[in-house]
Structure formats: C-alpha cells, structure tokens
Amino acid sequence: MTTKNTFEAAYENGTAGWIIDQPQPAVLELERAGLIRGAVLEPGAGTGEHTIALTERGYDILGIDFADSAIARARENAAAHGVPARFEVADALALTGPARYETVLDSALFHVFDGESGRAYAEALHRVCLPGALVHILALAEAEPRMGPQISAGTIRAAFGADWKIESIEQSSYRVSVNEKHWAESGLPVGILDRPAWLAHIRHLG
C-alpha cells in the first residue's frame, strides 16, 4: 500500500499525476445520471475538485484525505472558487462515528490498497454508511504502459464481501496528467490523457 509520505511528497514535488484541476468526467456523469444522493463522503479527495463541484451543485458532501498537504490545497481551491466545501484530514481505513452517508465517491483511492487494506477499507465504509448506501469506485485498470497502481475487477469483488452487493463493474476511463517529472518515461505523451479504468457500483446491505 502506498504510504502517507509518498503522497505528501507527490503533492510537494509536482508528481501527483491524478491532479488535473478539474473533476473526472466519469464522476460528472454519475451526477448527471442521478447516482449521487443524500449525504456524500469522498475519501481520497486530494485537491478537492469533486467535493468543490458537488458542493457548488448543492450536495451535502465531505472530502477527506490522509495527506495534510492535499487537504490544505483543497481548502485553498475551495476558497479560490468561493465555494464553502468541507474538507478534513482523516484516514479512510479508520472511519468512525454514526452511520450517515448515502453515497461514497471514491475516485482513485481504492486502487492503492492491497488485499488486506482493501478489506479494511470496505469494513470502514460499512461502519459509516447507511443501509442501502451506494459506493462508486473509479480505479485504474490493468493496462500497458503501466502508470501507478492498477487493479483487476476481481480485486474489487474480493474486498467487498457478504455485507455488500456489487451491482456492476463496468469499463470506464480515468483522466491523468503526464508531465516531465512523472510518467513521461512510460512513453506516453506529456499532457492530459484518459487511461482504462473500472467503475464499480456497490450497495451497502445493512
């Protein structure tokens, strides 16, 4: 599993390829399709583009990340946009408190976990989600050239056990930034491009 220090360093040295300064198109499509409702949690919120966009649209959403530098930048971004988006530093594997969330929006967090931590993540989400809540996971799929963590659809299925129902896992895309500092050695062109991804919809069974 990728460490907190690794993420902090990526934000500080400009190698965070997941920062594209806009929401992922797949996430915006979820919103247009009416698949985001109620109280929303975004674990691994990063620099906050999704939480800001959804707050602006009137959603009750909290963005969390365990990287202090990510949350600091997310709050700066929200202020720059004049949006009262909420962010907290928190560990997605250690979520506590009363169950309140009806939607979880995971854009490129789950794929950094190994088997054990993936199951711990599913258990943590189960604690804070209401019965019937829907978890959306957008994760990089196995593809060449390799760019960062990638997973199979089976990895998602293995993490979410009897307390969950996997409603669908479909092919999607995840937009990344390739720059001279990061991933350019893969042979991919420098710039913003789409990479193969999985989009999973998983229901909390209570």
Side-chain angles (χ1 to χ4, degrees), residues 4 12 27 53 63 69 71 74-75 78-80 90 92 95 110 120 122 127 141 143 154 159 176 178 194 201 206:
K4 180 174 181 176
E12 291 170 6
V27 171
S69 52
I71 293 300
R75 289 170 175 162
L95 299 172
F110 178 80
R127 290 194 294 270
V176 299
V178 176
D194 292 335
H201 309 288

Side-chain angles (χ1 to χ4, degrees), residues 17 20 147 176-180 188-194:
I20 59 170
M147 295 177 61
V176 299
S177 174
V178 176
N179 62 38
E180 291 84 356
L188 290 164
V190 171
I192 303 296
L193 69 155
D194 292 335

Side-chain angles (χ1 to χ4, degrees), residues 106-126:
D106 176 336
S107 175
L109 175 62
F110 178 80
H111 66 209
V112 308
F113 298 136
D114 58 24
E116 182 178 348
S117 56
R119 289 186 291 273
Y121 177 59
E123 291 171 3
L125 293 182
H126 198 269

Side-chain angles (χ1 to χ4, degrees), residues 154-186:
T155 302
I156 301 173
R157 294 183 185 280
F160 290 84
D163 293 329
W164 300 91
K165 177 186 177 183
I166 296 179
E167 297 198 336
S168 66
I169 302 178
E170 58 202 54
Q171 292 181 332
S172 184
S173 63
Y174 181 78
R175 190 158 290 176
V176 299
S177 174
V178 176
N179 62 38
E180 291 84 356
K181 294 181 179 179
H182 197 45
W183 291 338
E185 71 279 2
S186 67

Side-chain angles (χ1 to χ4, degrees), residues 17-104:
W18 56 90
I19 297 178
I20 59 170
D21 298 324
Q22 59 184 287
Q24 290 287 329
V27 171
L28 295 179
E29 182 55 37
L30 289 174
E31 195 273 332
R32 286 192 290 267
L35 294 174
I36 299 174
R37 61 194 66 173
V40 183
L41 177 67
E42 185 189 9
T47 50
E49 286 77 14
H50 301 124
T51 295
I52 291 168
L54 292 175
T55 298
E56 199 169 28
R57 289 165 170 78
Y59 289 87
D60 172 16
I61 180 169
L62 173 65
I64 65 170
D65 203 292
F66 74 166
D68 300 78
S69 52
I71 293 300
R73 287 182 59 175
R75 289 170 175 162
E76 291 171 1
N77 287 342
H81 285 82
V83 178
R86 296 182 297 126
F87 297 98
E88 293 180 5
V89 175
D91 184 349
L93 300 183
L95 299 172
T96 59
R100 65 176 298 264
Y101 296 105
E102 296 177 57
T103 306
V104 174

